[in-house]
Amino acid sequence: MIEVVALPQTVQAALLVVVVLLEAIVFYVGYGAVERIAAPSVIGTIENA
Amino acid sequence: MELLGLSVALLALFVAFGFMVGVFFGFFGMGGSFLVTPALLILGYPAPVAIGSSMAFVFGTAVIATMKHHDVGQVDYKLGALMFVGIALGIEAGKMLVYGLEAIGRAELVVGIAYVLLLAAIGAIFVRNAVRQEADDQDADVEEDIPEIARKIKSYDVPPMVTLTDGSKASMWTISGVGGGVGVVSGFLGVGGGFIRMPAIYYLIGIPLAAAVGTSLFGALMSGAVGAFTYGLDGVVDLGIVTALLAGSALGARIGSAATAYIDESDVTIYFGIMLLLASAAVALGELATWLALPILDAASFVLLVGSSAFVTAVIFYYGAQAVRTSDRQPAVSARGDD
């Protein structure tokens, strides 16, 4: 775990923005991959339900 | 046991709530951030934590939305950049207002009341539009490229004038005013402010509607980044909450966005409007709970907010499933995974 407590507030705030940015990119790409794999079978299941 | 600084139950709650918020955002293109701050206030988080965390969440959702729209959205980046100073100053002013109220012990009350009014107003607009749409479904309005009021405002030559991407001119005062005004609302309530910024860009600056939507999204990204940074300076942003909400909303937004390929939005708009009215009542109940020192009202308030959100999510899923069964349309948007 990265120790950020000792860093200046400005750096911590900038890190926060960068972390949220990276999280958003990871979630977007990750769920995009899941969607490509799972969407056709989910739609098929609903159609046949 | 704790994950991301949250109990497992609270973490699951935030992921689930984020999922519902994401479905609304993906389906309606709005409705995300203005449910997060009230939920955090009802859960007992101090106003600066609720607003700061919501702003960081706004930033994350705006990043995702921008990536989704990067190849189809028309964005006037120049206008967005010109609004930046106004947005930054406005958010700082909004934050100072929150801290000023916090210093006298009135932040939760005032922010809560502002949300009661805001949610009630937006909910009423949605319900009214849904009822009107049913009444005159065939009477489709043709949107003007630029509304008359925008033409009039643009006709005033108040220097410095700047040339926008579409070649038209606008006063820097109007641009800064729009950026600053929306920034104050964002910084004070912890919202992206798209529900104000988009109409303001269209009606006051005079950007064509299609570009106004994309430019407003770019503005939300800047508002979120500035807000997260500004509140982050005070160490009041709870990254655990933001991560849990984003984990849910990123998935929900994909499903909500895919659902638009199957469901006619007008079928569910009225439910969304009613949900916002119930959310307004939920925040009012929360305020009443504090005022009367009745914890049972707090619980009722939370159940009302989460329950109404869950109900509308279920309605969207129900209509979606029905449409998939009866339609031969292909999920073109979702299959590409780039919606």
Side-chain angles (χ1 to χ4, degrees), chain B residues 135-189:
Chain B
D136 49 12
D137 215 14
Q138 301 303 315
D139 188 20
D141 270 350
V142 178
E143 294 286 353
E144 283 180 84
D145 193 30
I146 296 174
E148 187 53 40
I149 185 170
R151 289 181 204 278
K152 186 155 187 152
I153 291 172
K154 275 185 160 184
S155 70
Y156 298 124
D157 191 350
V158 185
M161 298 293 285
V162 290
T163 307
L164 303 175
T165 306
D166 66 352
S168 66
K169 286 183 180 298
S171 169
M172 208 38 220
W173 291 101
T174 314
I175 295 169
S176 301
V178 168
V182 179
V184 172
V185 176
S186 292
F188 184 63
L189 297 175

Side-chain angles (χ1 to χ4, degrees), chain A residues 9-14 16-21 23-25 27-29 31-36 39-40 43 46-49, chain B residues 56 59-60 63-64 67-68 225 228-229 232-233 235 237 239 243 246-247 250-251 254 262 321 324-325 334-337 339:
Chain A
Q9 282 297 95
T10 316
V11 179
Q12 287 191 44
L16 170 78
V17 175
V18 172
V19 168
V20 174
L21 174 68
E23 282 181 351
I25 293 171
F27 286 134
Y28 178 75
V29 174
Y31 286 138
V34 171
E35 187 181 7
R36 272 191 295 275
I43 297 289
I46 295 170
E47 279 173 342
N48 299 322
Chain B
F59 174 57
V63 168
I64 290 170
M67 284 192 287
K68 285 165 76 172
F229 181 79
L233 284 174
V237 176
L239 190 57
T243 303
L246 267 182
L251 178 63
R254 281 194 173 273
Y262 293 96
V324 167
R325 283 192 200 124
S334 60
R336 289 203 311 273
D339 52 331

Side-chain angles (χ1 to χ4, degrees), chain B residues 297-339:
Chain B
L297 286 182
D298 246 340
S301 156
F302 187 71
V303 169
L304 191 58
L305 182 69
V306 176
S308 58
S309 303
F311 174 71
V312 178
T313 305
V315 167
I316 292 172
F317 276 42
Y318 173 77
Y319 273 91
Q322 290 289 94
V324 167
R325 283 192 200 124
T326 55
S327 166
D328 56 359
R329 268 183 288 181
Q330 295 300 306
V333 179
S334 60
R336 289 203 311 273
D338 59 354
D339 52 331

Side-chain angles (χ1 to χ4, degrees), chain B:
Chain B
M1 184 185 160
E2 287 201 342
L3 279 170
L4 298 170
L6 303 167
S7 69
V8 174
L10 204 53
L11 184 77
L13 175 73
F14 282 131
V15 172
F17 191 66
F19 176 78
M20 294 187 276
V21 162
V23 170
F24 302 149
F25 189 73
F27 190 78
F28 296 104
M30 67 183 298
S33 56
F34 54 67
L35 289 172
V36 171
T37 306
L40 294 177
L41 287 175
I42 290 170
L43 284 170
Y45 286 94
V49 176
I51 296 165
S53 303
S54 182
M55 291 250 58
F57 172 67
V58 165
F59 174 57
T61 51
V63 168
I64 290 170
T66 302
M67 284 192 287
K68 285 165 76 172
H69 291 275
H70 75 281
D71 55 350
V72 289
Q74 292 175 273
V75 182
D76 190 331
Y77 288 103
K78 184 178 180 183
L79 173 60
L82 289 170
M83 280 197 296
F84 180 80
V85 175
I87 287 174
L89 291 175
I91 287 177
E92 187 60 31
K95 190 189 90 168
M96 285 168 69
L97 201 54
V98 171
Y99 279 97
L101 290 165
E102 180 82 348
I104 58 170
R106 288 284 179 270
E108 283 78 19
L109 177 70
V110 176
V111 172
I113 290 172
Y115 264 105
V116 170
L117 299 174
L118 175 73
L119 291 168
I122 299 174
I125 291 169
F126 265 86
V127 170
R128 194 190 64 172
N129 287 348
V131 171
R132 273 189 181 177
Q133 209 159 17
E134 275 177 27
D136 49 12
D137 215 14
Q138 301 303 315
D139 188 20
D141 270 350
V142 178
E143 294 286 353
E144 283 180 84
D145 193 30
I146 296 174
E148 187 53 40
I149 185 170
R151 289 181 204 278
K152 186 155 187 152
I153 291 172
K154 275 185 160 184
S155 70
Y156 298 124
D157 191 350
V158 185
M161 298 293 285
V162 290
T163 307
L164 303 175
T165 306
D166 66 352
S168 66
K169 286 183 180 298
S171 169
M172 208 38 220
W173 291 101
T174 314
I175 295 169
S176 301
V178 168
V182 179
V184 172
V185 176
S186 292
F188 184 63
L189 297 175
V191 294
F195 55 95
I196 305 172
R197 188 187 302 104
M198 204 281 285
I201 290 174
Y202 178 58
Y203 285 106
L204 301 181
I205 300 179
I207 295 295
L209 197 59
V213 174
T215 308
S216 176
L217 188 62
F218 183 54
L221 195 147
M222 288 192 296
S223 290
V226 172
F229 181 79
T230 307
Y231 278 93
L233 284 174
D234 299 318
V236 295
V237 176
D238 190 322
L239 190 57
I241 294 174
V242 178
T243 303
L245 287 170
L246 267 182
S249 76
L251 178 63
R254 281 194 173 273
I255 295 174
S257 171
T260 58
Y262 293 96
I263 311 171
D264 184 353
E265 188 182 321
S266 61
D267 286 341
V268 289
T269 298
I270 192 157
Y271 296 106
F272 187 61
I274 293 169
M275 182 204 77
L276 293 175
L277 292 175
L278 290 174
S280 167
V283 180
L285 269 181
E287 293 303 320
L288 213 56
T290 311
W291 193 44
L292 299 173
L294 280 175
I296 185 77
L297 286 182
D298 246 340
S301 156
F302 187 71
V303 169
L304 191 58
L305 182 69
V306 176
S308 58
S309 303
F311 174 71
V312 178
T313 305
V315 167
I316 292 172
F317 276 42
Y318 173 77
Y319 273 91
Q322 290 289 94
V324 167
R325 283 192 200 124
T326 55
S327 166
D328 56 359
R329 268 183 288 181
Q330 295 300 306
V333 179
S334 60
R336 289 203 311 273
D338 59 354
D339 52 331

